[in-house]
Amino acid sequence: MNPSWLTVFPDNLRALLLKLPPSIFPGLEEIRIREGRPLEINAGGRYYFLTPDGEMTRNPDAAYKPGKQDGNRLLDLITNHSLYTMEEELRKGFITIAGGHRIGLAGRTLLSGGRVEHLRDISGFNVRIAREIRGIADPILPKLLDFRHKTVNHTLILSPPQQGKTTLIRDLARQISNGTWGHPEASWPGLKVGVIDERSEIAGSKRGVPGFDVGPRTDVMDGCPKAEGIMMMIRSMSPDVLIVDEIGRPEDAEALAEALHAGVRVIATAHGSSVDDLAARPALSKLTESSFFQMYAVLARTDKGLAFKLWDGKRRGIPAAAPSWKGREENV
């Protein structure tokens, strides 16, 4: 077992990680390196520290503690030996490497005019491992279909971080592009899909070429801010469906509204545990007030896998515990 993402780690950290049992690797989600503090992994939603022998433990005192040299070498590798060329990524606090793996960064910020200009003295790294799970969208896609117009409904997918949003929309892009609708009455062909991949996580592109299977009729705008990328995609590639991850800024909402007026269907994700959470965010509340989204899906991880609850746009904000709630929960 020697996954490609292991190449970004210095030799000593890579050797330590390779001591993990092979059964751990398929469920490995995060590797956290904090200078002078215990090395930590997240495997299947469970967190462990790693000892110098590569054994998993709950005891932080028994764990390997990466030093400054480990952090410096890791930073050198993930920036391809050129910090200067990664100025914009460093300012945002993350770097995405080939394969769609995102590495979050923590350190000392330098401000200019009250805004973050640069990140220095980086001492914390969170390597988030991206995976392609074909078929994960099978249970949900048939419920998002608009049979009248032979397309999908405007859909917003909500969940807290690390619940599977990006993995889900990656497979939705593939299936919508292929026209594998999963419903016996859906016989129309695949649609043109435009993916706005600001952090290069959905398609895992390298030099503009997707590393994941996002479908034969899918175009990807890689590394582009969402609001600008949405408008560029509409003007240049005339998609039938737009897929965009983690909307949150006012300009994102405005661009999505423009897509609606252009006749493009939208599948987007955002952080939140409920539709009420979205309505409480000033930047996105207008989207709920105007009934922009026709469907809402709230994701949650369970012991059985990924579960979701669905609402149509008219029933948004109804508490799940209310007797009138019409959501449907299923395992993905």
Side-chain angles (χ1 to χ4, degrees), residues 201-221:
E201 288 185 295
I202 303 172
S205 297
K206 184 175 182 180
R207 296 185 178 179
V209 179
F212 293 122
D213 181 3
V214 289
R217 305 192 70 203
T218 298
D219 300 298
V220 179
M221 199 69 74

Side-chain angles (χ1 to χ4, degrees), residues 13-64:
L13 292 180
R14 187 186 316 125
L16 192 155
L17 290 167
L18 283 171
K19 294 178 181 178
L20 285 167
S23 60
I24 291 295
F25 279 84
L28 203 57
E29 299 177 16
E30 291 183 327
I31 302 165
R32 292 178 177 264
I33 296 95
R34 303 175 176 103
E35 184 180 321
R37 286 163 290 168
L39 177 63
E40 186 180 31
I41 66 169
N42 171 5
R46 295 188 173 100
Y47 290 84
Y48 304 92
F49 300 111
L50 288 191
T51 71
D53 296 323
E55 296 180 356
M56 297 183 295
T57 178
R58 300 286 189 180
N59 179 11
D61 295 331
Y64 176 78

Side-chain angles (χ1 to χ4, degrees), residues 5-280:
W5 49 261
L6 273 173
T7 59
V8 305
F9 288 94
D11 291 342
N12 61 322
L13 292 180
R14 187 186 316 125
L16 192 155
L17 290 167
L18 283 171
K19 294 178 181 178
L20 285 167
S23 60
I24 291 295
F25 279 84
L28 203 57
E29 299 177 16
E30 291 183 327
I31 302 165
R32 292 178 177 264
I33 296 95
R34 303 175 176 103
E35 184 180 321
R37 286 163 290 168
L39 177 63
E40 186 180 31
I41 66 169
N42 171 5
R46 295 188 173 100
Y47 290 84
Y48 304 92
F49 300 111
L50 288 191
T51 71
D53 296 323
E55 296 180 356
M56 297 183 295
T57 178
R58 300 286 189 180
N59 179 11
D61 295 331
Y64 176 78
K65 297 177 177 62
K68 188 175 185 61
Q69 185 174 359
D70 290 320
N72 289 344
R73 180 59 179 154
L74 176 59
L75 185 61
D76 186 50
L77 289 170
I78 64 177
T79 58
N80 200 25
H81 315 291
S82 179
L83 278 173
Y84 176 77
T85 61
M86 293 286 186
E87 288 285 337
E88 181 63 21
E89 288 85 351
L90 293 173
R91 186 183 67 81
K92 292 179 179 179
F94 66 86
I95 291 173
T96 305
I97 62 173
H101 312 294
R102 185 168 68 172
I103 303 175
L105 308 169
R108 182 170 63 92
T109 60
L110 297 181
L111 304 180
S112 176
R115 302 186 65 178
V116 174
E117 182 70 22
H118 194 61
L119 187 64
R120 295 188 184 276
D121 301 330
I122 296 169
S123 60
F125 305 82
N126 178 22
V127 181
R128 296 180 59 181
I129 298 167
R131 283 193 174 84
E132 183 176 46
I133 305 179
R134 298 192 184 196
I136 196 172
D138 287 355
I140 193 171
L141 179 57
K143 297 174 172 59
L144 306 182
L145 300 180
D146 178 346
F147 287 90
R148 180 182 176 185
H149 299 98
K150 297 184 178 181
T151 183
V152 292
N153 285 300
H154 297 294
T155 303
L156 181 66
I157 299 168
L158 291 164
S159 83
Q162 281 195 282
Q163 300 297 302
K165 293 189 298 296
T166 303
T167 305
L168 177 60
I169 62 172
R170 181 185 300 127
D171 199 48
L172 284 171
R174 180 183 68 85
Q175 296 203 39
I176 293 169
S177 178
N178 273 301
T180 51
W181 306 110
H183 194 289
E185 298 177 20
S187 58
W188 59 88
L191 302 175
K192 293 177 294 181
V193 177
V195 172
I196 313 304
D197 200 1
E198 183 172 359
R199 292 178 300 277
S200 303
E201 288 185 295
I202 303 172
S205 297
K206 184 175 182 180
R207 296 185 178 179
V209 179
F212 293 122
D213 181 3
V214 289
R217 305 192 70 203
T218 298
D219 300 298
V220 179
M221 199 69 74
D222 183 54
C224 183
K226 285 181 279 289
E228 188 173 355
I230 288 169
M231 299 312 300
M232 290 174 64
M233 184 67 76
I234 291 173
R235 289 193 297 263
S236 62
M237 305 306 292
S238 63
D240 300 309
V241 180
L242 275 174
I243 291 182
V244 57
D245 206 6
E246 295 187 12
I247 61 172
R249 295 169 295 187
E251 55 266 35
D252 298 340
E254 292 174 7
L256 290 179
E258 287 293 328
L260 172 66
H261 296 313
V264 180
R265 297 301 173 104
V266 172
I267 296 178
T269 73
H271 288 309
S273 299
S274 69
V275 182
D276 288 336
D277 286 350
L278 182 74

Side-chain angles (χ1 to χ4, degrees), residues 277-289:
D277 286 350
L278 182 74
R281 296 172 64 180
L284 301 179
S285 61
K286 290 183 179 180
L287 292 178
T288 63
E289 293 169 0

